[in-house]
Amino acid sequence: MHAHSTTHRTTSTTSTTTRTLRTLGLGATALVLTAALAACGEQSAPDPESAATSPSSETSEVTSAVVVGDPWVRATKGTEDPSMTGAFMTLDNPGAEPVTLVSASSSVAGTTELHEMAMLDGAMSMQAVDDGIVLEAGRGKVLEPGGFHVMLMGLRDAPAPGDEVDLSLVFSDGSTQDLVVPVKAFTEEEGHYHAPGTGDHDH
Amino acid sequence: MAVPRVSRRGLLGHAGTTGLGALTGAGLVVAVDPGTPVGPPESIPAAPVGTTLAPWGPHQPGVAQAPPAVLEAVALDLRPGVDREALGRLMRLWTGDIEALTAGRPAPGDPAPWLSVPGADLTITVGVGPGALGSDRFGAGPAGFTDVPPMVHDRLEERWGGGDLCVLVAGRDATTVAHAVRRVVADARPFARLRWTQQGAWNGTAPDGSPQTGRNLFGQVDGSANPRPGTELFDRTVWVPEGRWAGGTTLVLRRIRMNLDTWDGLTREEQERSVGRRLADGSPLTGGGESDDVDLAARDEQGRPVVALDAHVRRSHPALHGGRRIFRKGASWTREVPGPRGPRLESGLLFSSYQADLADQFVPLQRSLDELDSLNEWTTAVGSAVFAVLPGFEQGDWLGRSLLA
């Protein structure tokens, strides 16, 4: 498995969290996507001086691909419906233009869609996000249980904890990112996810 | 790379003693007037504490850090059939956990994301034991990597020994450390099961906030003669210089039981004589400050050696071992054990020794101490385990790739 069409870029700011992504299979060359973002309210240290600075102004020279962080896929082995699951991650757009996650695919899934959990008629329901997941300039989204996620359907084998799943993300700027994503057990019942948020977060 | 700690101390202006005074005062008010509502102490200026250490680099960063306030060492045994490919998956999984947790982010899929916080001084260091070596696993170990041969004074218990994998989780507070341990062990479950855990604590910070060597439970300043991280001596002592394991090191973890009751019965002079250092400040009995070298040749007026022939500092001194040395860290522990008349306390030291070549550095030193060391009367090794600490990894890479690929 090879990662392709990824670029290497680094920016630096005064107080940053550098995010990383392993886009490689066993023995493959590491391709690093780094962006020095004070992302997701996850600054390395609470520091009002730098928090007061808009990171977007410091990263505006970057024309960019999205930074993917902390990806994981929920294991379904032994669950009620082992044929579908979600992939979760953080997506950060350090660039000056909005970028949309347009689609995703995986060799383990027959179909892959972008979904969102939302309140519908007073109940949580899951719906496809046909227009993709928009990442505003200088902002990001958290894909998490109860919110936006990549839905893997028609799974050929139920992913078990300790497995790895390939996942390819296609963005509106023409970039593609190929990930190798760990499968993790998740103890909460499906349909009983965390309270939903907007999925938006600031840098 | 450490995010500078308390870089904004200047902003607080009078933060130093005045801040402490305000804190103490607030405590007193609450104590004498139970009617006072206890809420967030908003009037007390907050200062960030702790550092957030990036996990990347040629070496795993936890090794060269000072002994942490809280250390939890975890040993796991690989499940049958876990081969090189599976170890790669585990190492990539752990790499993701380590990158997130040390940055203060929840590990991917973390069911309790609130327990990950930045500024926790958190490091997570991974080593592999003899059982994880071999052609279908991590291959051959670093040069000189061997089990510690039996020592006369050892009273080893299986319960505290061995392990195919070791994870050292070090941090500033026990809650964050416990959470990281839980994540690392839970995520490893498809590959490995828990063998033992050992905890310890260390006070490496003086009351004024400056770093200090710290003391073991005998009261001794412990670690004064360590090579200093960042020096050529440290690098030569600790890091494997070349080959597949370049940038890694080896770790001996010894669980030392300390007989505090008999130790406490000694006079101050007897206690200082057994080590060769003053208890008050850790300085050598031959004079100078804590960091000064001991003068092994010094004699008193009667012509007797100032440092006794069986003193710990003499027996462990590099001069006796052709310059061989180790980088040592301590973590003190105490626990309840059953006694004939009810529970009693057992105390000791979880001792970590880092060296590039275990057989060449640690073993001769330990043999020498086993043969003669005044401290043997009050210390007993009850656990022993050896691990080859993986080289560091760069951002975008993963732990152990060079050994597994």
Side-chain angles (χ1 to χ4, degrees):
Chain A
M1 183 176 326
H2 282 277
H4 64 272
S5 74
T6 46
T7 50
H8 186 132
R9 36 178 75 81
T10 306
T11 61
S12 71
T13 59
T14 49
S15 171
T16 61
T17 295
T18 320
R19 323 219 38 186
T20 178
L21 166 66
R22 278 169 303 286
T23 57
L24 68 163
L26 199 62
T29 308
L31 284 171
V32 189
L33 273 174
T34 63
L37 298 175
C40 316
E42 294 160 353
Q43 288 93 339
S44 302
D47 189 339
E49 286 170 24
S50 68
T53 311
S54 165
S56 61
S57 65
E58 296 177 58
T59 55
S60 58
E61 74 278 13
V62 180
T63 55
S64 140
V66 169
V67 180
V68 185
D70 299 340
W72 64 287
V73 164
R74 181 180 178 272
T76 67
K77 199 159 191 170
T79 61
E80 210 167 285
D81 182 0
S83 74
M84 59 174 73
T85 190
F88 312 98
M89 67 203 75
T90 60
L91 297 173
D92 283 303
N93 175 16
E97 302 293 331
V99 180
T100 300
L101 172 61
V102 177
S103 65
S105 60
S106 171
S107 68
V108 303
T111 317
T112 303
E113 293 179 0
L114 306 179
H115 279 203
E116 180 185 15
M117 297 289 287
M119 289 299 279
L120 200 67
D121 299 329
M124 281 299 285
S125 76
M126 193 164 66
Q127 58 201 50
V129 190
D130 295 329
D131 299 334
I133 297 172
V134 180
L135 309 168
E136 298 298 341
R139 297 177 64 84
K141 278 194 164 60
V142 180
L143 277 55
E144 60 185 340
F148 289 106
H149 55 275
V150 177
M151 193 75 192
L152 305 171
M153 294 173 291
L155 294 171
R156 304 187 215 293
D157 294 301
D163 288 352
E164 286 177 332
V165 165
D166 66 281
L167 187 67
S168 186
L169 305 177
V170 178
F171 295 94
S172 60
D173 63 1
S175 66
T176 302
Q177 293 196 28
D178 292 341
L179 318 178
V180 176
V181 182
V183 177
K184 295 204 171 191
F186 190 66
T187 50
E188 285 187 62
E189 290 297 320
E190 206 171 358
H192 189 68
Y193 285 149
H194 293 300
T198 64
D200 277 306
H201 65 249
D202 293 322
H203 280 148
Chain B
M1 174 196 72
V3 172
R5 157 191 203 182
V6 230
S7 56
R8 295 175 304 118
R9 180 164 277 170
L11 285 184
L12 302 171
H14 56 275
T17 50
T18 314
L20 275 175
L23 204 79
T24 312
L28 282 174
V29 168
V30 172
V32 299
D33 180 6
T36 304
V38 179
E42 285 164 25
S43 61
I44 301 170
V49 289
T51 56
T52 302
L53 288 156
W56 309 292
H59 318 292
Q60 294 191 68
V63 174
Q65 288 294 303
V70 179
L71 173 70
E72 182 145 355
V74 179
L76 305 101
D77 284 331
L78 291 168
R79 298 186 188 281
V82 171
D83 59 8
R84 182 173 285 247
E85 186 275 334
L87 282 170
R89 275 184 281 129
L90 173 59
M91 291 301 128
R92 287 189 288 276
L93 186 66
W94 271 357
T95 299
D97 287 351
I98 290 168
E99 288 178 330
L101 291 167
T102 57
R105 302 195 305 270
D110 197 335
W114 316 275
L115 290 173
S116 293
V117 292
D121 294 354
L122 193 70
T123 62
I124 302 174
T125 307
V126 178
V128 306
L133 299 175
S135 57
D136 202 30
R137 290 184 165 172
F138 280 94
F145 183 64
T146 173
D147 270 319
V148 177
M151 300 286 158
V152 174
H153 290 90
D154 287 358
R155 296 290 180 271
L156 300 183
E157 298 167 27
E158 178 74 8
R159 192 226 168 296
W160 306 113
D164 292 340
L165 297 170
C166 176
V167 183
L168 300 178
V169 181
R172 194 169 58 77
D173 79 275
T175 304
T176 307
V177 167
H179 176 64
V181 166
R182 157 92 179 121
R183 291 281 23 104
V184 165
V185 172
D187 279 344
R189 202 170 286 144
F191 308 94
R193 58 180 178 74
L194 189 64
R195 183 182 176 99
W196 51 252
T197 71
Q198 302 190 53
Q199 295 82 23
W202 198 254
N203 186 356
T205 308
D208 68 359
S210 64
Q212 63 179 8
T213 305
R215 295 175 183 272
N216 61 34
L217 292 178
F218 283 148
Q220 300 158 349
V221 176
D222 186 334
S224 307
N226 261 338
R228 300 206 174 279
T231 62
E232 192 275 334
L233 179 63
F234 180 90
D235 291 349
R236 185 154 38 91
T237 302
V238 173
W239 307 123
V240 176
E242 58 194 8
R244 302 168 66 237
W245 290 85
T249 182
T250 68
L251 167 65
V252 180
L253 261 180
R254 307 267 287 176
R255 185 179 181 85
I256 312 288
R257 200 172 58 211
M258 291 162 41
N259 192 332
L260 296 189
D261 290 339
T262 55
W263 173 263
D264 288 346
L266 301 177
T267 65
R268 170 78 60 91
E269 195 191 342
E270 288 168 330
Q271 291 179 343
E272 294 185 335
R273 185 183 176 282
S274 71
V275 183
R277 289 183 180 276
R278 293 189 201 290
L279 282 158
D281 59 2
S283 62
L285 290 183
T286 51
E290 186 205 330
S291 58
D292 287 320
D293 197 7
V294 57
D295 179 2
L296 296 177
R299 306 248 162 194
D300 64 14
E301 298 92 36
Q302 284 81 43
R304 292 172 308 201
V306 176
V307 175
L309 297 180
D310 63 351
H312 185 77
V313 289
R314 179 185 294 278
R315 298 296 299 167
S316 62
H317 197 279
L320 230 72
H321 305 285
R324 291 175 180 84
R325 51 180 91 221
I326 59 168
F327 177 58
R328 59 174 293 154
K329 293 194 215 182
S332 297
W333 52 267
T334 191
R335 66 170 189 155
E336 179 195 303
V337 292
R341 287 175 299 278
R344 60 179 188 83
L345 284 179
E346 186 183 274
S347 301
L349 187 74
L350 180 57
F351 168 76
S352 310
S353 173
Y354 293 94
Q355 54 283 308
D357 188 322
L358 200 162
D360 182 64
Q361 293 167 261
F362 181 84
V363 172
L365 196 69
Q366 187 59 44
R367 277 224 170 91
S368 163
L369 294 171
D370 193 43
E371 280 163 16
L372 182 66
D373 177 2
S374 175
L375 280 184
N376 286 338
E377 190 171 341
W378 304 280
T379 60
T380 308
V382 294
S384 186
V386 297
F387 302 99
V389 176
L390 298 172
F393 63 98
E394 298 297 335
Q395 196 174 5
D397 205 345
W398 46 276
L399 200 55
R401 182 181 59 81
S402 62
L403 295 159
L404 293 170

